[in-house]
């Protein structure tokens, strides 16, 4: 039996995370932003992009692999397009500035596209797309990531899980929000199958070390993640790689580091596209149309074995309502790492 | 044994298609454009979006379900955003104008986004994204389509195969070009399995009429196409539906007609986004970086059972080199339909 999760109220764990970041020299507004972005992912149930990242962020800063202070700088802004140099700053700090630029430019000219290079892990893409949606715009976010996935028909990692994310302002229905890796599943799902003692995983999740599809959990763990739907997933990952890294002049594919590797920067690139709805039709009309589309989907008769049809963002929105009340369950491994960091840095954990 | 394909040189079949369109009253430049767009798909091996569509286009025009003459009209152009009313015109005619607007606007301000409503089938999305790439821009194209696919966990069609397409100017490597439906496979692949006497299809292609995944070919034919990777494919299809139809104020989901149904317009919406590379970095540098990225992918050691790694656009590019020499193999059913249209309209077929 693994240790149980530690249940912590969102506010307490946000404060704890903020103080840990303060303690390694992150300026207060940046500490707060990073903590909020991670806890937001936990609230939505996306624990892979929540507090479990914080120990790595702290290490990156303590080792000098990431610059806790810099705001990065604008390289160029020409018309609707802005190129940003993250200067190896904290991903969330860079993304916050880039999002603000995208929103500002879209407000001025209808579309704003910001591409940042030399950035770092920015948490969940959803946090940034939502920021644009909260400003009444359609927000599209992509990034490249450490090479963990082979291109289709290959057997060595050359692409990241490169996510594609879009958020749309909501009407009466809660906001539609897609945030998906371009692999069939996240690596965490295969780990979870092992932890839960499941010897088999569904087809199309993973491949063995020779790139042959497998449903054996152990083989998959020693193997490779499968691109979503085979060649299509590789195509979508390349789309993100091109719009982020090729266009930014940043690190591509195997040139990236990773948050779990010490001694070199991550060098990730990120793309933020904001679309001003009002240039096409009145925002109220758009919101009403979104409601109608969502309802068309949600009133589809459910397939056998399901009780309802959901749209992108539904499961996470429900989880957030629940966790705002009940608190965030932090996994025992993550909790231990956070508490150890707290002891090292002289920051007291909120519980135990 | 089915009848063999008819092998016709691209120029001859383009001329034949043009004359058929002329004969139903399509203005000459539009006839030529439609014929070229369809034959371009055949050349690339995407026969589902080639000449097999022409008999339906002709019917649509003869029945008065599609307006052969109109150019549509600009509803609004504000900053980088243009909204277009296709006025039920020929999809290719509308798309050609919309692409030109997207290119013009991107040249002026860095990004150009054109959304058209009340349009018709535009052939393969790739043709239009390539047009933008040929102009030195990154071209992204999406459209919605007749509802044939259930949303994930549903069992009634509510979404089209809504493609996502991106084309990028090439360097020394030939241009990268992704054009993918947001289902695991096109319906045509399941028909092909039946025609070829294969009782089983791979997992994740299709579901039975109750929305339960199936690998039985017959059950799949009577059932439903599966969204790419389950809920992710539904999310991507919704992304296209939102950027095309919600934003354009056009028909959504089940409100669309279809090219195979007579007596009502198709009412599809299309989105064209052009990105001016030069606003981010010199185009020559971008092209060199694309070459480098493509080579990183293509030098990946192949998985067991494969001899090489391909990137998006490779198989179609190769097919095009071949078919430009050997001619286009037109399926017997399509050939019969085209010849019957020719007899009805007094246009002689180029062979037989």
């Amino acid at each position: 039996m693994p240790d149980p999760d530690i249940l912590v109220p969102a506010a307490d764990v946000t404060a704890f995370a903020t103080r840990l970041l303060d303690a390694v020299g992150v300026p207060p507004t940046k500490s707060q932003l990073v903590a909020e972005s991670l806890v937001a992912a936990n609230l939505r149930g996306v624990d892979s992009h929540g507090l479990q990242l914080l120990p790595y962020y702290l290490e990156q800063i303590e080792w000098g692999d990431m610059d806790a202070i810099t705001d990065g700088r604008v390289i160029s802004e020409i018309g609707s397009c802005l190129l940003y140099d993250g200067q190896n700053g904290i991903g969330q700090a860079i993304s916050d500035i880039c999002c603000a630029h995208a929103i500002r430019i879209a407000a001025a000219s209808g579309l704003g596209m910001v591409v940042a290079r030399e950035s770092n892990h920015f948490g969940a893409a959803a946090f940034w797309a939502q920021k644009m949606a909260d400003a009444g715009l359609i927000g599209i976010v992509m990034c490249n990531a450490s090479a963990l996935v082979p291109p289709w028909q290959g057997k060595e990692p050359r692409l990241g899980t490169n996510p594609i994310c879009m958020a749309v302002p909501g009407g009466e229905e809660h906001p539609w929000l897609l945030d998906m890796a371009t692999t069939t599943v996240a690596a965490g799902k295969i780990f979870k199958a092992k932890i839960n003692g499941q010897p088999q995983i569904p087809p199309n999740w993973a491949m063995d070390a020779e790139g042959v599809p497998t449903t054996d959990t152990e083989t998959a763990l020693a193997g490779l993640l499968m691109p979503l739907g085979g060649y299509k997933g590789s195509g979508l990952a390349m789309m993100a790689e091109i719009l982020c890294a090729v266009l930014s002049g940043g690190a591509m594919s195997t040139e990236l580091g990773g948050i779990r590797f010490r001694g070199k920067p991550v060098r990730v690139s990120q793309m933020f596209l904001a679309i001003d709805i009002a240039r096409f039709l009145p925002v109220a009309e758009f919101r009403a149309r979104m409601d109608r589309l969502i309802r068309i989907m949600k009133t589809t008769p459910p397939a056998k074995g399901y009780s309802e049809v959901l749209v992108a963002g539904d499961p996470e929105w429900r989880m957030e309502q629940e966790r705002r009340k009940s608190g965030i369950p932090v996994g025992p491994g993550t909790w231990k790492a956070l508490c150890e960091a707290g002891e090292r840095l002289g920051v007291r954990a909120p519980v135990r």
Side-chain angles (χ1 to χ4, degrees), chain A:
Chain A
M1 265 288 279
D3 289 339
D5 291 346
I6 317 295
L7 209 61
V8 196
D12 294 354
V13 84
T14 305
F16 181 35
T18 305
R19 286 196 302 272
L20 287 171
L21 287 155
D22 289 345
V24 295
V26 177
T29 53
K30 290 188 173 63
S31 294
Q32 181 72 27
L33 175 68
V34 173
E36 269 171 18
S37 85
L38 296 178
V39 173
N42 285 118
L43 281 169
R44 300 179 73 242
V46 187
D47 295 324
S48 56
H49 289 67
L51 289 163
Q52 82 174 51
L53 295 168
L54 185 56
Y56 299 104
Y57 289 2
L58 296 173
E59 266 186 37
Q60 283 182 283
I61 295 166
E62 290 179 274
W63 278 68
D65 292 343
M66 176 161 75
D67 183 336
I69 311 294
T70 185
D71 284 331
R73 67 178 184 100
V74 175
I75 298 172
S76 61
E77 180 180 341
I78 319 175
S80 303
C81 305
L82 190 147
L83 178 62
Y84 203 81
D85 180 356
Q87 295 182 322
N88 196 29
I90 295 174
Q92 282 85 345
I94 303 307
S95 299
D96 198 48
I97 294 167
C98 288
C99 265
H101 281 302
I103 292 167
R104 171 183 59 78
I105 296 170
S109 67
L111 304 173
M113 182 168 166
V114 177
V115 182
R117 68 189 188 206
E118 307 299 343
S119 186
N120 274 289
H121 198 288
F122 64 5
F127 189 78
W128 310 106
Q130 272 181 299
K131 236 182 218 305
M132 295 189 265
D134 289 345
L137 306 163
I138 295 176
I140 298 178
V141 176
M142 299 184 196
C143 68
N144 67 346
S146 316
L148 289 173
V149 188
W152 182 236
Q153 301 190 185
K155 67 171 182 180
E156 271 183 18
R158 292 282 195 278
L159 287 163
T161 50
N162 298 7
I164 294 177
C165 176
M166 179 164 119
V168 173
E172 291 171 12
E173 301 290 331
H174 56 80
W176 186 88
L177 172 53
L178 177 73
D179 183 7
M180 51 169 270
T182 50
T183 44
T184 308
V185 294
K189 282 214 182 180
I190 303 171
F191 283 108
K192 204 171 162 189
K194 183 183 160 69
I195 291 167
N196 294 336
Q198 295 161 355
Q200 296 284 312
I201 52 171
N204 294 346
W205 279 22
M207 303 178 288
D208 69 15
E210 291 299 306
V212 178
T214 183
T215 57
D216 181 74
T217 304
E218 288 295 337
T219 308
L221 278 173
L224 299 155
L225 284 176
M226 199 182 291
L228 176 70
Y231 68 95
K232 293 188 178 186
S234 284
L236 291 171
M238 282 278 281
M239 173 188 263
E241 195 82 23
I242 294 166
L243 291 176
C244 298
V246 181
L247 202 53
S248 73
M252 303 192 289
S253 178
T254 48
E255 297 163 356
L256 270 73
I259 60 166
R260 287 166 189 83
F261 301 102
R262 292 289 67 79
K264 60 175 189 169
V266 173
R267 304 191 61 207
V268 70
S269 292
Q270 286 133 353
M271 190 280 293
F272 307 88
L273 174 63
I275 301 169
D276 184 7
I277 293 160
R279 308 288 173 128
F280 294 98
L281 76 183
V283 176
E285 188 183 338
F286 177 89
R287 290 181 193 265
R289 290 176 64 77
M290 274 305 299
D291 280 343
R292 198 163 103 228
L293 181 64
I294 288 171
R295 285 166 194 160
I296 290 173
M297 296 305 140
K298 296 182 74 130
T299 55
T300 310
K304 201 174 160 183
Y306 294 102
S307 60
E308 61 177 338
V309 171
L310 302 173
V311 298
D314 278 350
E316 296 82 8
W317 188 85
R318 288 181 187 177
M319 183 65 88
E320 183 168 344
Q321 310 314 305
E322 196 182 306
R323 289 192 173 180
R324 279 199 185 281
K325 287 181 212 144
S326 66
I328 290 169
V330 184
T334 298
W335 187 251
K336 187 161 170 273
L338 291 173
C339 291
E340 282 171 3
E343 276 169 37
R344 188 172 76 243
L345 300 167
V347 178
R348 231 177 65 190
V351 288
R352 284 205 175 174

